Amino acid sequence: MQTRGAPPPTHASTTNLAEILERVLDKGIVIAGDIKIDLLDIELLTIRLRLFISSVETAKKAGIDWWETDPALSSRAAHNALSDENKRLRERIEALEGDDTEEAHSGRELRHR
């Protein structure tokens, strides 16, 4: 005769994992560490690791929003980068045309004399 045991408590562990994940994303967690390799008092390699895990809202509260300004990750950032480049080019064209206009004007004055 076989006896049936209680089913494994999968629901309770899933709920706990979800609660932990929600808490980590809400509060954020920082993992920091340094790896340094020296050979005979000569520094060969230093790796500094800084990891911040959180939700987007928590990261923004912490002042981290690099994904909004990186053109590779944000279409709005790409549009802003293009607008900035167009603005710089227009200013440069105006400056060059202004120089040409001044030279042409001064050339006309010299011809009239």
Side-chain angles (χ1 to χ4, degrees):
M1 178 175 170
Q2 284 186 330
T3 59
R4 292 187 177 187
T10 57
H11 180 69
S13 64
T14 304
T15 303
N16 288 338
L17 181 61
E19 288 176 0
I20 291 170
L21 183 60
E22 183 179 339
R23 198 173 300 164
V24 165
L25 292 177
D26 185 46
K27 300 292 182 184
I29 185 169
V30 175
I31 300 171
D34 295 335
I35 299 171
K36 189 174 182 181
I37 299 173
D38 292 343
L39 179 66
L40 301 175
D41 293 332
I42 299 171
E43 184 176 327
L44 296 178
L45 178 68
T46 300
I47 299 173
R48 293 182 170 202
L49 175 67
R50 306 293 182 262
L51 183 63
F52 180 63
I53 301 172
S54 73
S55 67
V56 170
E57 291 83 17
T58 304
K60 283 183 177 180
K61 287 178 188 174
I64 301 169
D65 61 351
W66 51 264
W67 59 87
E68 292 181 349
T69 57
D70 188 345
L73 299 174
S74 170
S75 60
R76 187 174 9 156
H79 179 71
N80 290 343
L82 184 61
S83 296
D84 290 343
E85 184 179 357
N86 283 340
K87 183 180 175 185
R88 280 189 313 245
L89 290 172
R90 284 187 184 127
E91 289 172 354
R92 188 170 176 187
I93 289 171
E94 287 176 8
L96 290 172
E97 287 178 345
D99 289 345
D100 288 344
T101 305
E102 288 177 12
E103 288 176 12
H105 184 69
S106 64
R108 277 186 229 136
E109 287 180 357
L110 290 175
R111 282 185 224 139
H112 289 292
R113 289 183 185 175

